[in-house]
Amino acid sequence: MAALGTARRLLRTCSRVKNVQRGEQRSVRCGLRTLCSGTRDHALSDNTRPQFTDPAVQDLLTRMTGLDLQKVFRPIKEELKPPTYKLMTDQQLEEAVELATQQAEKLLQMPPLLSERKPISDVLSVDKILDGMDTAKYVFTDITYNILHRERFIVVREPDGTLRKASWEERDRLVQVYFPKEGRKLTAPLIFKEGNLKMVFSQDRHEDVLDLCLVQFEPDSSDYIRVHAATYEDLDKHGKYELLRSTRHFGGMTWYLLGARRADGLIVDMLKRDLLQDAVSLVSLFHMVHPHSESAQEAASQQAAGADLLKIYADKESQKSGYIELALQAYEQLTTKKSSAE
Amino acid sequence: MVHLSSLLLKNYHGGYVVIRLALAGHKQANRPFYRIVAAYNKRARDGKYLEQLGSYDPLPNIYNEKLVSFNFDRIKYWIGCGAHPTKPVAKLLGLAGFFPLHPMTITEAERRRAQTELIATEDVLQEGQKEAEV
């Protein structure tokens, strides 16, 4: 009798140990947010329109972003540590610089660009018998570890008895409550209000604002898009493109300006800093994005390349054609001087 | 009833697993916070449990919401093992839509509505009396 009891208990322990093992083998969800594929645009635009995530577009944008190591690895506010000095040979120094470039490329990875999300308005059930059951809403969140935050079930039971899915703002807030992400606050920091944004822009801190925005908001939320649009508008108005040049936000800014067809200021700025290649790639990107514009068709017919592209763009599209032509002439003079000096 | 016992846990003769609310944060007075927990029936309410399956905050926050969280995957597992949910947990699950609605929720809602109507009619009567006096 006792032997039977112990045998039964042994069997149970074996099964429990097996269950525990199976539980531990559950896969761990990866927390890295990688570049997500671009969502489908509205039905109005054609399917041939190049997306932000196309490899050709990304290649051009990364080339324009540049790789200024001094700026990417400039000292950020960290806890005070005494500096470490290393004695290296030339070869070791080259290897270290190569490692630094690879890390800089990873840091310069462009954040995802998605169209604005549509509001959720799904009612799961209407129970009029529950009307007046309580003065507060009940919000139910599913805390299963293995599901993506986008697919999580978050429902709200209103005091009048309707069971509806939670809106995007509620979802973001509750996901932050139960699965807190570092740096994200429950209520958005006051810096993202209109007046405060203006003050921060006057202090030339666009990059910090964009970094904060990236941490705080989801890439397809209306706040994220609004803050980014305001930042890019301000940069365009004052011509402060250099602030974003070697950062991860440069691609996003270029894409926005191209979409709004206001890339003239950027081209002028590039020519002023003698970055002819960047200007040329910007114009070719413009032709990719707007293939039906006059300058694009002209360029395609003439098979132009290099400075000719810029001339065609200056003639046909831009409002500041005078500036661009002047800058081109100055650049050509410089190149002739250099070649004659050599 | 399914007996789940192991050498690590106490062997309860005739005990079974329940999913119930356990009070947490007992160091703060007048601020209740419940954990939704799978535990043996005989254990103390706030004592050792098998697994935490969620939480329930009965006081509404600044957005007038009462936050409840459920780990549905594990709740399904424990119910499959033969755990019994208690009345408040069954009510919450019914409100969430996971279980069918608990009859007491409906009864309470009806009672509340009757109460509010009673208060409203009393107020109307009182106002009528005041007007009559004036």
Side-chain angles (χ1 to χ4, degrees):
Chain A
M1 197 57 202
L4 217 108
T6 42
R8 210 192 289 157
R9 251 174 259 133
L10 270 173
L11 271 173
R12 298 273 154 64
T13 48
C14 290
S15 63
R16 191 156 175 82
V17 162
K18 257 193 265 167
N19 280 340
V20 162
Q21 271 183 344
R22 232 177 278 142
E24 280 167 358
Q25 273 164 26
R26 230 179 277 137
S27 57
V28 177
R29 193 172 50 82
C30 180
L32 270 177
R33 196 203 279 162
T34 49
L35 270 179
C36 24
S37 61
T39 52
R40 290 261 166 272
D41 274 340
H42 300 294
L44 293 167
S45 68
D46 359 315
N47 284 336
T48 50
R49 189 200 164 100
Q51 297 288 329
F52 185 67
T53 44
D54 285 345
V57 171
Q58 283 287 311
D59 184 50
L60 283 169
L61 286 172
T62 33
R63 256 190 270 159
M64 278 195 275
T65 310
L67 197 75
D68 185 6
L69 282 173
Q70 292 300 321
K71 188 171 175 190
V72 172
F73 291 115
R74 73 180 178 284
I76 0 168
K77 245 186 183 176
E78 281 176 341
E79 53 173 281
L80 271 176
K81 273 186 291 191
T84 48
Y85 296 100
K86 285 189 194 164
L87 198 63
M88 291 195 222
T89 60
D90 276 332
Q91 199 196 11
Q92 281 175 333
L93 186 66
E94 278 170 17
E95 282 169 21
V97 167
E98 233 186 79
L99 265 174
T101 32
Q102 280 174 8
Q103 214 194 356
E105 270 164 34
K106 245 200 320 188
L107 283 175
L108 288 180
Q109 203 186 27
M110 281 179 240
L113 197 87
L114 307 164
S115 49
E116 193 167 334
R117 57 193 178 190
K118 304 200 178 70
I120 313 175
S121 52
D122 229 351
V123 171
L124 296 171
S125 95
V126 182
D127 296 312
K128 280 294 168 202
I129 29 173
L130 285 181
D131 194 4
M133 58 152 193
D134 201 356
T135 43
K137 301 182 259 185
Y138 281 89
V139 180
F140 299 97
T141 325
D142 183 12
I143 17 176
T144 321
Y145 195 65
N146 272 352
I147 32 177
L148 300 169
H149 288 323
R150 293 284 161 130
E151 296 165 2
R152 220 166 260 286
F153 283 118
I154 304 184
V155 291
V156 177
R157 175 75 76 170
E158 301 276 347
D160 65 353
T162 25
L163 187 66
R164 61 170 176 88
K165 287 194 183 171
S167 64
W168 281 114
E169 291 81 40
E170 287 169 354
R171 282 190 74 94
D172 285 339
R173 190 161 40 90
L174 284 161
V175 161
Q176 179 58 15
V177 164
Y178 291 114
F179 300 96
K181 197 168 157 199
E182 206 186 308
R184 209 178 261 213
K185 309 267 185 272
L186 281 177
T187 41
L190 294 169
I191 204 173
F192 296 118
K193 295 230 166 97
E194 286 301 326
N196 298 339
L197 272 180
K198 279 190 205 146
M199 196 188 71
V200 168
F201 292 153
S202 63
Q203 291 175 355
D204 273 357
R205 295 176 63 184
H206 302 80
E207 202 190 321
D208 301 328
V209 165
L210 286 177
D211 285 333
L212 266 175
C213 176
L214 208 81
V215 166
Q216 178 69 31
F217 301 120
E218 294 281 308
D220 53 359
S221 67
S222 54
D223 282 315
Y224 179 94
I225 294 173
R226 173 183 61 88
V227 169
H228 275 254
T231 323
Y232 297 149
E233 295 283 330
D234 188 79
L235 282 171
D236 190 39
K237 202 165 60 163
H238 299 285
K240 296 180 188 168
Y241 308 103
E242 189 59 24
L243 287 169
L244 285 195
R245 182 139 273 139
S246 205
T247 60
R248 57 201 302 219
H249 308 289
F250 192 80
M253 180 180 77
T254 330
W255 187 260
Y256 177 84
L257 292 173
L258 283 176
R261 292 186 170 217
R262 290 215 301 268
D264 305 326
L266 190 54
I267 294 184
V268 167
D269 182 74
M270 278 176 182
L271 287 170
K272 268 191 222 162
R273 289 171 208 277
D274 293 334
L275 298 163
L276 190 71
Q277 274 305 309
D278 286 352
V280 165
S281 38
L282 182 63
V283 176
S284 46
L285 197 61
F286 178 84
H287 292 159
M288 261 201 267
V289 171
H290 299 284
H292 304 296
S293 65
E294 291 176 352
S295 65
Q297 285 162 352
E298 188 63 43
S301 62
Q302 286 186 12
Q303 298 276 313
D308 301 324
L309 261 180
L310 279 168
K311 279 185 197 141
I312 296 169
Y313 178 79
D315 289 326
K316 299 282 174 181
E317 271 298 326
S318 72
Q319 280 102 28
K320 297 184 195 168
S321 48
Y323 277 122
I324 298 182
E325 279 168 10
L326 270 173
L328 264 175
Q329 279 176 1
Y331 186 80
E332 274 162 20
Q333 279 177 354
L334 263 174
T335 41
T336 44
K337 259 194 223 168
K338 273 188 209 164
S339 55
S340 64
E342 283 163 19
Chain B
M1 271 195 233
V2 177
H3 293 263
L4 299 160
S5 50
S6 80
L7 291 170
L8 296 165
L9 298 169
K10 226 167 132 175
N11 284 3
Y12 290 110
H13 175 67
Y16 53 95
V17 180
V18 286
I19 303 176
R20 63 183 180 200
L21 301 174
L23 199 61
H26 53 271
K27 298 271 163 62
Q28 277 185 337
N30 295 323
R31 189 25 177 127
F33 181 84
Y34 298 100
R35 276 192 256 240
I36 299 164
V37 132
Y40 276 116
N41 177 41
K42 297 281 194 210
R43 280 275 188 197
R45 182 196 66 190
D46 303 340
K48 195 151 104 177
Y49 49 79
L50 295 165
E51 188 179 349
Q52 183 180 354
L53 304 168
S55 62
Y56 169 50
D57 182 6
L59 299 185
N61 63 8
I62 44 173
Y63 304 100
N64 200 23
E65 298 163 347
K66 293 190 185 176
L67 297 180
V68 186
S69 63
F70 286 118
N71 190 341
F72 287 121
D73 185 35
R74 296 301 294 167
I75 291 177
K76 280 189 233 174
Y77 167 77
W78 282 112
I79 294 181
C81 284
H84 299 261
T86 53
K87 212 167 58 167
V89 171
K91 280 190 198 168
L92 282 175
L93 286 169
L95 283 177
F98 193 64
F99 277 7
L101 275 183
H102 200 268
M104 279 312 286
T105 335
I106 305 173
T107 319
E108 273 172 22
E110 285 173 0
R111 284 178 188 169
R112 271 197 188 222
R113 253 177 289 159
Q115 192 74 13
T116 45
E117 276 174 23
L118 201 68
I119 294 171
T121 45
E122 273 181 17
D123 285 338
V124 165
L125 275 172
Q126 276 186 0
E127 279 177 25
Q129 277 178 1
K130 277 184 196 161
E131 281 182 15
E133 279 169 27
V134 165

